[in-house]
Amino acid sequence: MRQDLGLGALIALVFSSMVGAGIFSLPQNMAQQAQVGAIALGWLITGVGMLALACVYQRLALRRPDLDGGIFTYARAGFGDFIGFNAAWGYWVCQLLANVSYVVVLFSALSYFTDRPGHTLLGEGNTPLAIGLGSVLVWGVHLLILKGVRRAALVNLVATLAKLIPLLVLCVALLLAFHLETFRLDVWGEQALGGVLEQVTSTMKVTLWVFIGIEGAVVVSARARRRQDVGRATLIALLGALALYVMVSLFALGVMSQPEVAALKNPSTAAILAQIVGPWGAWLINIGMVISVLGAFLSWTLLASEVPFIAAQSGLFPRWFSRLNQHGTPKHGLWATTLLVQLFLLVILLQESTYLALVNITTSAALVPYFFSAAYGLKLAWQDRARAQASAQDLLLGALASGYGLWLVYAAGVEYLLLATLLYVPGLLILHLARRQRGQTWGRAEALGGLILVCLAAWSAWRWAQGLLG
């Protein structure tokens, strides 16, 4: 494997993975569920949790440089093969669904330029034309990555710099048009939106969604020129993304009131900037969103192709996934990723699923790998503390990151967690094939875990068929 990703490429990979489509719809997504005070509290909780998680990943990257792949190899090191496999599978599924959501929202954004009343071409990104064009994009990115990860990373770096232009214009406009009186109207909104805790909880899936990708540098750590750049890239990209998210979601409520922002059509930032500077603001935001989503799609395809490759190297996936082509690209992992994204796109065409539905199920699928990788940081810090090899700071960071993971499980709610079990069950067959290749058998605890997962999935399928889920 070629180690040719420098600090700049790693920062771009993490930043582009996080800052995709979500930021352009962030004001409406947050205002729909919470007022200024609750949104600020939500970002405070998210900021502390994500900073703790980033610091845990930074320390683990240096403490355990042998664990390439990060997020799911940490789960395996801490809690065994069964948890490690499900973390890898859940993370891969999360990436696949994220890519599908990017295709949908990309062509939904392009509909601003193509659709007119009574003349729908791209609609919400789930029309036959949108899915057809999306399929062309999926296979075009596939061919680019086949030519080498470094080339794809350079393209992603250019896309990341390009997407910053409309976002910085938006931030400057928000600062200039900000009115404190508008911002202070009904700060807590308890009469219209419910209690503060309820409002804060309702923002959690949104805040998790916009931060998915924080682990990007950790996943490709084996390709980094310098191991210490992995942690640096994670922290730099996280702080930059957090500053943008807070400014866009909070300062927008100083330009328009919460009910007005909540009623906007997405991408809501287009309408907000258009109100400040005129119609060209909507054009700029929609063009920026297209560039941003293309960069995020490229980043997530890069990451998604690496996951089955690294999992196969560690024995969690079948050996078939562990092959590289002459350019150092995990070709079978990439082919599997592209084919599954294409399959999901066809399902979207038949079901007419929307971007927000994909966001909800994607964030739920991501909870398992995030929680267990954070919990491994806590476990390792506790073990090292007993041997006087870790500081109280390591222990505190592990506890904060793990507590944040549990909070996310609570905030996600039962409905989408149950739906996520339907995505986890097919992975048991992949685990069984990997075990057979290596002459391994299932342990009692693993068999029990698999049985529980199957039972939950069966119950979820029944509830879904009855119209009680989804």
Side-chain angles (χ1 to χ4, degrees):
M1 186 182 291
R2 300 177 182 178
Q3 295 173 310
D4 48 16
L5 296 183
L7 179 61
L10 290 171
I11 293 172
L13 180 63
V14 180
F15 186 85
S16 184
S17 298
M18 288 190 290
V19 184
I23 189 170
F24 295 94
S25 301
L26 195 58
Q28 188 276 340
N29 291 165
M30 299 292 274
Q32 190 178 35
Q33 306 173 81
Q35 254 290 7
V36 171
I39 292 173
L41 285 176
W43 283 123
L44 179 62
I45 295 171
T46 300
V48 171
M50 281 296 173
L51 280 171
L53 188 61
C55 290
V56 167
Y57 287 157
Q58 181 185 39
R59 282 161 167 74
L60 288 175
L62 297 174
R63 180 75 176 80
R64 294 296 307 270
D66 55 307
L67 297 180
D68 293 325
I71 188 167
F72 55 89
T73 52
Y74 297 155
R76 182 195 190 189
F79 306 99
D81 286 352
F82 184 74
I83 295 296
F85 171 82
N86 279 288
W89 179 263
Y91 184 57
W92 193 35
V93 168
C94 165
Q95 292 173 320
L96 297 176
L97 291 174
N99 270 353
V100 175
S101 75
Y102 286 139
V103 173
V104 170
V105 79
L106 169 65
F107 288 96
S108 177
L110 287 173
S111 70
Y112 177 84
F113 305 103
T114 62
D115 292 9
R116 295 294 179 268
H119 186 65
T120 300
L121 291 175
L122 301 177
E124 294 187 21
N126 52 10
T127 65
L129 178 60
I131 298 301
L133 293 174
S135 299
V136 173
L137 170 65
V138 167
W139 289 100
V141 171
H142 173 92
L143 293 175
L144 174 63
I145 297 176
L146 276 180
K147 295 297 183 180
V149 171
R150 184 173 182 271
R151 179 179 298 182
L154 288 174
V155 173
N156 179 60
L157 179 59
V158 174
T160 300
L161 294 174
K163 79 168 66 174
L164 281 173
I165 296 173
L167 290 174
L168 292 177
V169 170
L170 173 64
C171 289
V172 171
L174 288 173
L175 285 172
L176 293 176
F178 182 83
H179 295 287
L180 185 60
E181 294 78 12
T182 305
F183 186 75
R184 293 171 59 183
L185 286 173
D186 194 18
V187 171
W188 298 107
E190 293 183 82
Q191 290 185 346
L193 298 168
V196 175
L197 179 60
E198 181 183 349
Q199 291 182 54
V200 172
T201 302
S202 68
T203 67
M204 285 298 103
K205 274 191 289 190
V206 178
T207 58
L208 174 61
W209 166 245
V210 295
F211 276 114
I212 288 179
I214 186 179
E215 70 295 327
V218 178
V219 173
V220 296
S221 57
R223 297 184 183 274
R225 289 179 194 155
R226 296 174 296 275
R227 194 76 185 191
Q228 59 268 34
D229 285 347
V230 173
R232 292 172 183 168
T234 302
L235 283 173
I236 293 170
L238 170 65
L239 292 173
L242 180 60
L244 277 176
Y245 292 154
V246 171
M247 182 169 288
V248 168
S249 60
L250 281 178
F251 279 53
L253 296 173
V255 176
M256 301 172 68
S257 68
Q258 178 268 330
E260 290 174 330
V261 176
L264 292 176
K265 179 185 175 181
N266 281 316
S268 51
T269 48
I272 293 169
L273 187 58
Q275 176 163 314
I276 299 172
V277 301
W280 68 265
W283 277 75
L284 180 65
I285 289 296
N286 278 282
I287 292 171
M289 183 173 177
V290 169
I291 296 172
S292 182
V293 172
L294 285 172
F297 182 83
L298 176 58
S299 295
W300 276 96
T301 305
L302 275 169
L303 295 176
S305 65
E306 292 283 327
V307 171
F309 166 72
I310 297 169
Q313 285 191 316
S314 62
L316 295 177
F317 275 37
R319 293 192 185 97
W320 182 79
F321 288 101
S322 63
R323 297 175 186 173
L324 298 171
N325 66 8
Q326 67 270 29
H327 300 292
T329 300
K331 56 181 181 179
H332 288 165
L334 179 60
W335 274 100
T337 294
T338 305
L339 288 170
L340 286 172
V341 169
Q342 180 67 77
L343 176 62
F344 284 141
L345 281 176
L346 295 177
V347 172
I348 294 299
L349 179 60
L350 295 174
Q351 296 291 324
E352 295 187 350
S353 297
T354 62
Y355 169 69
L356 285 178
L358 289 166
V359 167
N360 286 327
I361 191 66
T362 301
T363 51
S364 296
L367 294 178
V368 169
Y370 277 113
F371 170 70
F372 280 106
S373 59
Y376 175 60
L378 175 60
K379 180 180 178 180
L380 190 63
W382 183 267
Q383 292 172 342
D384 288 349
R385 178 75 170 164
R387 296 191 293 266
Q389 295 178 344
S391 65
Q393 185 183 48
D394 293 327
L395 202 59
L396 176 61
L397 289 171
L400 285 173
S402 301
Y404 178 62
L406 286 175
W407 165 257
L408 289 175
V409 171
Y410 162 74
V414 174
E415 178 178 343
Y416 285 102
L417 289 174
L418 286 174
L419 283 174
T421 61
L422 295 172
L423 300 173
Y424 274 86
V425 165
L428 297 178
L429 177 60
I430 301 297
L431 176 59
H432 182 67
L433 291 175
R435 288 284 175 83
R436 284 190 62 183
Q437 281 188 351
R438 292 164 175 80
Q440 299 172 338
T441 58
W442 290 64
R444 287 186 178 180
E446 294 175 337
L448 178 61
L451 180 61
I452 292 172
L453 189 57
V454 169
C455 290
L456 286 173
W459 186 47
S460 301
W462 178 82
R463 288 175 58 85
W464 186 37
Q466 297 296 315
L468 302 174
L469 285 180

